[in-house]
C-alpha cells in the first residue's frame, strides 16, 4: 500500500492507488469468503455429507489465495514483516533491476537497425511539412523562435560581445597586412582606367563648390600682402586667384589628357607600387590603419552599432507585425509547403534525419540507456517499490483472485477424483 500521502501523488497515481486498494479488498474478500465456506462446511458436513465438496473447494481456494498473496507480497516487502529469504525482491534488488532494464532497452530498442527501420516507414518530413504550412502553426514557430532569439540576445553581455567583435576585427582586419592587397587593387584600377569616374566626380564636385563659394576667396591671399598695398589691389588679387582656380578646374573637366590628370595617374601608379614593394610606405599605411581602428571614436562607433542592432532586433522580434516576424513566418510556411509537396526534398530530409538518429543511437546508446540505470539507482528503495506497485499492483491482485478461484476448482477436482477412485462414505473424509 502506498505510504506517500494522497495529496502528494499525481492524479494518475491517485487513480492507480484507488484501483489497487479496490482489487486488494476484492482479493481479501474472496479469501474471507472461502474461509467462511470452509468453517460452515467443516462444521456441518457430518450432517450434510455433500458439504464435503464445498469444504474441499474452500480448502483449495484458501491455499491458492494464501500462496498467491505470499508470492505477490514477496515482490514488494517481507510477508507479515518476517525476513523470509527471497522476499522483498524489488527493494533488495532495485539496482540490479535498473541495470537489467537499462540493458534490455539498450539491446532491444537502442539499435541502429531498429531505429532506421522505424524511421524509414515514417513520413517525418511530410508530416512536419503539412504541420508547418498551416499559417497558424508557421506563426507559432516564428513566435517561439523569436522568443528564443530574444532571450539569447538579452542574455548576451554587451561587453563580451563588443570584446568578441574587437578580437575578430583585430584578427581578421588589423593584424593582416592590407598594404600589398591595397596596392595590387589600386594598380589594377589604374591600369584599367577604372578610377576615371571617381576623378571626374571629384573635379565636378570641386567645380560646383567653386561656383557656389566665390566669397570664400575674399581675403584668402590678399590678407597676406603688405599693409601698404592698396585695397583695390587686394580685391584684384583675390578675384584673379578665384578665376584662375575656376579656369583650371574647367580645363581639367574638359581635357581627359590634362597634365593634372596625368600627374594624378602617375601618383596613383607610384603609390600602388610603393604599397606593394616599399617597406617604409607599407609600415606607414599599416600604422595609419591601426590608428584608425584603435581610435576611441571608432571603438565608440562599433559599440553604438552593436547597441543599435541589438535594440532593433529585439524590437522587431517582439512585434508580431514587424517585417522580420512576417518574413520569418512566411519562410517557415514556405519550407512546410515544400516539405509537404516535394518528394525529392522529403527523401533528402528523411535521409538526413534517419542517418543522424542512427548515428546518435549507435554512438550514445549506452549513455542513453544509462539514464535508466542511474535514475533507478538514485531512487529510494521504498519509493521505487511504491512506484512499481502502483503501476502493476492492481493487475497482480487479479493473480490473487485467480489463485483463489483456481485453487477452489483444483481442490474440488482433486477431492472428487480421489473420492471416485477410493470411495469413502461422505462425512467420514
Amino acid at each position: 500500500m502506498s505510504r506517500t500521502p494522497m495529496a502528494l501523488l499525481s492524479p494518475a497515481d491517485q487513480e492507480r492507488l484507488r484501483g489497487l486498494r479496490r482489487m486488494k479488498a476484492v482479493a481479501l474478500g474472496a479469501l474471507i469468503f472461502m474461509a467462511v465456506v470452509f468453517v460452515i462446511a467443516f462444521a456441518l458436513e457430518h450432517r450434510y455429507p455433500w458439504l464435503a465438496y464445498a469444504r474441499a473447494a474452500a480448502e483449495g481456494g484458501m491455499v491458492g489465495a494464501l500462496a498467491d498473496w505470499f508470492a505477490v507480497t514477496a515482490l514488494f516487502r517481507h510477508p507479515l514483516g518476517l525476513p523470509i529469504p527471497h522476499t522483498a525482491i524489488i527493494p533488495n534488488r532495485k539496482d540490479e533491476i535498473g541495470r537489467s532494464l537499462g540493458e534490455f532497452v539498450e539491446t532491444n530498442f537502442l539499435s541502429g537497425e531498429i531505429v532506421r527501420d522505424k524511421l524509414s516507414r515514417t513520413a517525418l518530413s511530410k508530416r512536419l511539412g503539412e504541420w508547418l504550412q498551416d499559417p497558424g502553426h508557421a506563426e507559432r514557430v516564428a513566435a517561439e523562435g523569436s522568443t528564443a532569439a530574444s532571450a539569447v540576445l538579452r542574455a548576451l553581455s554587451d561587453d563580451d560581445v563588443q570584446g568578441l567583435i574587437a578580437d575578430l576585427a583585430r584578427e581578421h582586419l588589423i593584424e593582416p597586412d592590407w598594404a600589398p592587397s591595397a596596392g595590387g587593387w589600386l594598380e589594377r584600377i589604374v591600369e584599367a582606367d577604372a578610377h576615371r569616374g571617381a576623378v571626374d566626380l571629384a573635379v565636378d564636385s570641386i567645380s560646383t563648390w567653386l561656383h557656389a563659394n566665390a566669397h570664400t576667396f575674399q581675403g584668402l591671399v590678399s590678407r597676406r600682402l603688405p599693409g601698404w598695398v592698396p585695397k583695390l589691389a587686394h580685391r584684384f588679387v583675390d578675384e584673379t586667384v578665384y578665376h584662375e582656380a575656376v579656369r583650371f578646374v574647367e580645363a581639367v573637366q574638359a581635357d581627359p589628357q590634362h597634365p593634372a590628370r596625368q600627374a594624378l595617374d602617375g601618383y596613383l601608379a607610384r603609390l600602388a607600387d610603393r604599397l606593394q614593394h616599399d617597406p617604409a610606405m607599407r609600415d606607414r599605411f599599416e600604422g595609419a590603419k591601426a590608428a584608425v581602428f584603435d581610435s576611441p571614436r571608432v571603438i565608440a562607433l562599433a559599440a553604438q552599432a552593436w547597441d543599435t542592432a541589438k535594440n532593433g532586433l529585439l524590437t522587431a522580434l517582439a512585434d508580431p507585425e514587424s517585417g522580420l516576424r512576417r518574413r520569418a513566418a512566411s519562410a517557415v510556411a514556405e519550407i512546410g509547403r515544400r516539405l509537404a509537396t516535394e518528394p525529392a526534398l522529403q527523401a533528402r530530409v528523411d535521409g538526413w534525419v534517419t542517418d543522424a538518429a542512427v548515428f546518435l543511437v549507435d554512438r550514445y546508446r549506452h549513455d542513453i540507456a544509462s539514464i535508466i540505470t542511474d535514475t533507478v539507482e538514485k531512487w529510494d528503495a521504498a519509493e521505487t517499490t511504491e512506484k512499481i506497485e502502483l503501476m502493476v499492483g492492481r493487475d497482480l491482485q487479479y493473480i490473487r483472485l485467480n489463485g483463489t478461484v483456481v485453487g477452489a476448482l483444483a481442490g474440488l477436482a482433486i477431492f472428487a477424483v480421489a473420492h471416485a477412485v477410493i470411495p469413502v462414505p461422505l462425512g467420514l473424509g
Side-chain angles (χ1 to χ4, degrees):
M1 190 70 68
S2 174
R3 292 180 294 176
T4 301
M6 193 75 162
L8 299 181
L9 297 176
S10 66
D13 282 344
Q14 291 178 15
E15 182 60 31
R16 294 188 184 101
L17 179 57
R18 284 190 289 267
L20 174 59
R21 287 172 174 172
R22 284 195 299 268
M23 283 309 303
K24 281 188 173 184
V26 171
L28 179 60
L31 174 59
I32 294 174
F33 174 76
M34 289 295 171
V36 171
V37 171
F38 173 78
V39 170
I40 294 173
F42 185 80
L44 300 177
E45 67 175 310
H46 294 289
R47 294 174 56 186
Y48 305 101
W50 59 270
L51 287 177
Y53 288 94
R55 177 179 60 80
E59 285 178 337
M62 287 191 296
V63 171
L66 291 172
D68 287 340
W69 166 82
F70 183 91
V72 171
T73 303
L75 288 173
F76 304 105
R77 58 189 59 86
H78 295 298
L80 301 176
L82 301 175
I84 303 172
H86 304 294
T87 59
I89 294 173
I90 290 177
N92 289 334
R93 301 180 62 185
K94 172 181 66 71
D95 295 346
E96 184 178 346
I97 292 173
R99 287 191 294 271
S100 298
L101 181 59
E103 292 173 1
F104 175 79
V105 171
E106 179 179 355
T107 303
N108 295 279
F109 294 94
L110 299 178
S111 167
E113 292 77 10
I114 294 175
V115 173
R116 185 178 295 279
D117 178 68
K118 178 62 177 179
L119 293 179
S120 65
R121 291 185 284 110
T122 304
L124 294 175
S125 58
K126 184 177 181 180
R127 292 182 181 179
L128 177 62
E130 291 172 348
W131 189 85
L132 288 177
Q133 69 180 348
D134 180 87
H137 295 161
E139 183 62 34
R140 179 181 173 185
V141 171
E144 295 296 337
S146 298
T147 301
S150 298
V152 171
L153 285 173
R154 289 191 176 91
L156 292 175
S157 168
D158 291 343
D159 293 337
D160 291 342
V161 172
Q162 292 167 11
L164 176 62
I165 294 175
D167 292 341
L168 291 175
R170 184 167 299 279
E171 179 181 355
H172 298 286
L173 296 178
I174 301 177
E175 291 182 359
D177 290 340
W178 284 18
S181 299
W185 293 338
L186 181 59
E187 183 178 26
R188 288 189 290 271
I189 289 172
V190 173
E191 290 176 351
D193 286 337
H195 66 295
R196 296 290 184 183
V199 174
D200 291 340
L201 177 62
V203 173
D204 292 343
S205 299
I206 294 173
S207 175
T208 301
W209 184 86
L210 287 173
H211 284 91
N213 296 275
H215 62 279
T216 305
F217 280 78
Q218 294 179 6
L220 181 66
V221 177
S222 60
R223 73 170 58 96
R224 294 173 174 80
L225 295 175
W228 50 265
V229 177
K231 296 295 182 182
L232 182 63
H234 287 200
R235 181 177 179 183
F236 175 77
V237 170
D238 289 336
E239 290 181 350
T240 299
V241 171
Y242 171 72
H243 289 301
E244 287 299 324
V246 170
R247 280 196 293 269
F248 175 78
V249 172
E250 290 176 345
V252 174
Q253 282 182 299
D255 185 6
Q257 301 299 325
H258 192 279
R261 289 179 179 269
Q262 294 177 353
L264 179 60
D265 291 347
Y267 170 76
L268 293 176
R270 291 191 300 275
L271 178 61
D273 180 72
R274 293 184 65 190
L275 286 173
Q276 296 179 80
H277 306 104
D278 185 353
M281 175 58 73
R282 291 170 60 174
D283 290 342
R284 289 174 57 192
F285 183 87
E286 296 300 334
K289 177 193 71 175
V292 169
F293 277 103
D294 290 337
S295 67
R297 180 60 179 166
V298 172
I299 295 174
L301 286 174
Q304 183 179 2
W306 162 247
D307 290 338
T308 302
K310 176 182 176 179
N311 293 330
L313 280 173
L314 288 174
T315 301
L317 291 171
D319 183 7
E321 299 302 322
S322 68
L324 179 61
R325 285 279 294 271
R326 289 199 300 270
R327 283 192 290 272
S330 177
V332 171
E334 175 61 19
I335 292 172
R337 185 194 64 78
R338 293 189 60 193
L339 285 174
T341 58
E342 298 183 15
L345 181 59
Q346 293 172 8
R348 287 199 300 272
V349 173
D350 287 343
W352 296 335
V353 173
T354 300
D355 291 342
V358 170
F359 170 79
L360 292 174
V361 167
D362 286 341
R363 188 177 182 88
Y364 300 105
R365 56 187 298 181
H366 181 72
D367 296 324
I368 297 172
S370 67
I371 295 175
I372 299 174
T373 303
D374 296 342
T375 301
V376 173
E377 287 181 352
K378 293 178 182 177
W379 282 351
D380 177 72
E383 180 185 1
T384 304
T385 302
E386 181 177 313
K387 288 179 180 291
I388 297 176
E389 186 174 14
L390 284 177
M391 293 298 298
V392 302
R394 182 172 180 271
D395 294 325
L396 292 178
Q397 299 310 309
Y398 279 104
I399 296 178
R400 292 178 56 189
L401 185 59
N402 292 337
T404 304
V405 175
V406 172
L409 295 176
L412 178 60
I414 293 171
F415 179 81
V417 171
H419 189 73
V421 174
I422 308 174
V424 176
L426 292 176
L428 301 177

